[in-house]
Amino acid sequence: MARFEPLPTVRFAEGELRIIDQTLLPGRYEILSLTTVDAVCDAIRLLRVRGAPALGIAGAYGLLVAISEGGGGNLRDRVDDAARRIAATRPTAVNLGWALGRMLIASRTGDVSDLGAVLEREAHAILAEDLAMSEAMTSHGATLIADGDAVLTHCNTGGLCSGGGGTALGAVFAAAADGRSVRVFADETRPLLQGARLTAWECAQRDVPVTVLVEGAAASLLSSGNVASVFVGADRIAANGDVANKVGTLGLAILARRAGVPFYVVAPSSTIDSAIPDGAHIPIEHRGDDEVIRFGGIATAPSGVDAYNPAFDVTPADLVDAIVTERGVHRFPYQFTGKR
Amino acid sequence: MARFEPLPTVRFAEGELRIIDQTLLPGRYEILSLTTVDAVCDAIRLLRVRGAPALGIAGAYGLLVAISEGGGGNLRDRVDDAARRIAATRPTAVNLGWALGRMLIASRTGDVSDLGAVLEREAHAILAEDLAMSEAMTSHGATLIADGDAVLTHCNTGGLCSGGGGTALGAVFAAAADGRSVRVFADETRPLLQGARLTAWECAQRDVPVTVLVEGAAASLLSSGNVASVFVGADRIAANGDVANKVGTLGLAILARRAGVPFYVVAPSSTIDSAIPDGAHIPIEHRGDDEVIRFGGIATAPSGVDAYNPAFDVTPADLVDAIVTERGVHRFPYQFTGKR
């Protein structure tokens, strides 16, 4: 039994992939039904569903959509083709490729007539494992949070980034569920404002006090002595513990170290890509200029001006005081080897 | 003769204070006429005019508005009262108080019948000195910029922040006017986007290539090795060289130091407050939540969520490789004493 009720971030029923449309929050809470692989790819690309663990689950269920969608040709080919298309939507999130790979391996077992049932079982297992991993990793993470702590966080790492239980922000909710008084400082997280929109929304839903700040204010906040720890998630972790996460994470880690504030990463072990020796080998997705130089349809910069818009950055392992997975609290130096 | 044409950021003519309305840029370039002290205070408070040197000039001319506005009572009292009201609009910018103090000292000379002429002369002198100081400090600053350099900057420190010649960004324009190939990376500078809106606009006006980034991307940009130097302005500098500037500056300074990128402050010596021993004594203005949690009238966070919104932060002097004023390039350690 989870310590707190997971959100229905990504679910599958009646041949449909149902997601909370995260682009509409906090103004509107709406469940979006995706019935074609195109719609699944678009939803991922447009960040209607985002967060490494949630992407893995959405990708897995996306293959069930490929089956229920119907269409010509060989069923296995259709599933393989859907996996290729979905995998190409977001290059940095390792969970997406990991979940799709796991689904394809499952698809090779048994007869093609069982394919739908086999894949459905596998996708449900991925969701169930994600919820169990969230429960475990947020419990481990909560041990790093004391009564009265203020936690600074970046982007959204609550239930919305996963099957519903969350990673880093989930650890704060687990501490709150354990009865500790906690508060959250949420970086607004430009350009897409996942902190202001999603993290603040989740905190408000769970009655955890939350204060939003622009990324530029994090340095003065950290140096004020009012922050006990920084908690962030991860999109991919290299074997040496280098962490790729939402752009802005590296800056926070450097500022936290200078301020003497511990910096923690909470992520499922499926985020660890032990085939990648260090962060220099992690591909970084660069996104379009408009995310930076337009806001709600309004140009914030003169036309013709371009933008530098990497979606992620890489934090070197030595700036990360602990990496928390469902297996426990790992301390620097890290050595993640072997299969996940 | 200035190396590049100053902008008409703050001017006075026919009893009116005329400013470029910076809240309308980059969408619209419009000169706003202010004919009452209330309008001057509102324009400062709403950041229609902003930037420490520009605020000093606007404040000085604001006292001429107090005279041309008319009204009852003693003329000197009216001027004194206007000075008090204008000074209270923005507590951190030392130039505002400095210019107003200088105007009040001038107002005590000669007969009250000469008051208008005396104050007009003094205000014009403040503008003329500002333009000359910009010319000098941007020339000194330009010596720190080599051909081919990419300069990262924060907020707006071009002609719009001053009488028209600028401070830190002006140094980039001076280097460009000297024929050196330069490019600008502009932090968008949340919450008010002075970088995206104003710095990018000024660069585009002067054909200097500019790329906008969110503050969260500065760490990865600096660690990429593609930035030669960081140039920022200052709102107040303590005697020991601690620098109060737009929130986000401290973070940039810490990141630049870690990346081995030199960090320069360009500001007129009127920004130096030698009565303040160090940055801990600089009052920091905190602004309203709505700047952070609303954008263009749209809520970006759920209702009821509050914001941490300091307008400035303080960068310790040891992170500042040089402070450039109209007098030259000062290197750490700093010891600013005596009268400005």
Side-chain angles (χ1 to χ4, degrees), chain B residues 27-67:
Chain B
R28 223 157 72 225
Y29 175 88
E30 205 168 280
I31 303 290
L32 187 66
S33 289
L34 306 171
T35 56
T36 67
V37 173
D38 276 348
V40 172
C41 290
D42 278 354
I44 294 174
R45 215 177 281 113
L46 296 172
L47 311 182
R48 296 189 194 284
V49 54
R50 32 65 50 202
L55 288 174
I57 301 160
Y61 282 135
L63 301 190
L64 301 190
V65 170
I67 292 173

Side-chain angles (χ1 to χ4, degrees), chain A residues 206-226:
Chain A
R206 299 193 191 275
D207 288 324
V208 169
V210 59
T211 299
V212 176
L213 59 147
V214 300
E215 273 75 281
S220 75
L221 178 66
L222 282 165
S223 65
S224 73
N226 292 325

Side-chain angles (χ1 to χ4, degrees), chain A residues 131-155:
Chain A
L131 290 168
M133 282 196 295
S134 273
E135 169 69 9
M137 87 182 95
T138 60
S139 296
H140 292 308
T143 65
L144 301 169
I145 299 172
D147 190 49
D149 275 4
V151 173
L152 173 60
T153 188
H154 190 67
C155 199

Side-chain angles (χ1 to χ4, degrees), chain B:
Chain B
M1 179 57 197
R3 277 178 167 142
F4 54 91
E5 190 61 35
L7 292 171
T9 308
V10 188
R11 296 292 182 268
F12 187 83
E14 299 165 31
E16 296 180 352
L17 173 51
R18 293 173 184 169
I19 60 167
I20 299 175
D21 185 343
Q22 301 190 31
T23 60
L24 301 180
L25 288 172
R28 223 157 72 225
Y29 175 88
E30 205 168 280
I31 303 290
L32 187 66
S33 289
L34 306 171
T35 56
T36 67
V37 173
D38 276 348
V40 172
C41 290
D42 278 354
I44 294 174
R45 215 177 281 113
L46 296 172
L47 311 182
R48 296 189 194 284
V49 54
R50 32 65 50 202
L55 288 174
I57 301 160
Y61 282 135
L63 301 190
L64 301 190
V65 170
I67 292 173
S68 60
E69 181 180 7
N74 177 291
L75 192 58
R76 276 218 174 96
D77 288 350
R78 225 160 66 217
V79 167
D80 287 1
D81 177 62
R84 259 192 307 275
R85 285 157 61 204
I86 295 171
T89 52
R90 302 287 310 273
T92 304
V94 71
N95 303 56
L96 189 54
W98 166 83
L100 290 166
R102 182 170 155 176
M103 291 289 283
L104 291 187
I105 290 166
S107 78
R108 297 308 187 254
T109 63
D111 191 78
V112 72
S113 63
D114 294 330
L115 190 58
V118 164
L119 289 183
E120 184 155 358
R121 223 165 24 238
E122 195 68 17
H124 284 328
I126 288 173
L127 172 60
E129 288 167 25
D130 178 86
L131 290 168
M133 282 197 295
S134 272
E135 169 69 10
M137 87 181 95
T138 60
S139 295
H140 292 308
T143 65
L144 301 169
I145 300 172
D147 190 50
D149 275 4
V151 173
L152 173 59
T153 188
H154 190 67
C155 199
N156 171 265
T157 58
L160 290 171
C161 85
S162 66
T167 60
L169 185 61
V172 178
F173 295 150
D178 284 349
R180 296 204 277 292
S181 161
V182 290
R183 64 180 298 202
V184 170
F185 283 103
D187 265 359
E188 64 170 0
T189 318
R190 282 281 291 154
L192 297 174
L193 300 171
Q194 293 94 334
R197 294 191 301 109
L198 308 179
T199 296
W201 179 81
E202 287 200 45
C203 289
Q205 294 287 110
R206 299 193 191 276
D207 288 323
V208 169
V210 59
T211 300
V212 176
L213 60 145
V214 300
E215 273 76 280
S220 77
L221 178 65
L222 282 165
S223 66
S224 73
N226 292 325
V227 172
S229 54
V230 179
F231 273 76
V232 299
D235 287 79
R236 195 183 289 217
I237 299 174
N240 73 338
D242 289 352
V243 173
N245 191 46
K246 179 58 52 197
V247 70
T249 302
L250 168 61
L252 267 191
I254 294 169
L255 300 177
R257 176 58 52 92
R258 182 176 160 100
V261 173
F263 184 88
Y264 301 126
V265 171
V266 184
S269 58
S270 58
T271 311
I272 299 168
D273 188 349
S274 54
I276 284 190
D278 60 52
H281 296 81
I282 300 178
I284 298 297
E285 174 186 5
H286 284 254
R287 297 178 60 86
D289 291 1
D290 275 4
E291 286 182 355
V292 175
I293 60 175
R294 300 189 73 80
F295 188 100
I298 303 161
T300 55
S303 61
V305 165
D306 70 354
Y308 170 71
N309 188 21
F312 303 94
D313 58 26
V314 175
T315 300
D318 67 294
L319 292 177
V320 180
D321 293 283
I323 295 176
V324 182
T325 71
E326 73 280 7
R327 297 174 189 161
V329 177
H330 311 267
R331 293 275 177 183
F332 179 80
Y334 309 102
Q335 191 50 35
F336 299 113
T337 49
K339 71 188 261 304
R340 359 183 125 83

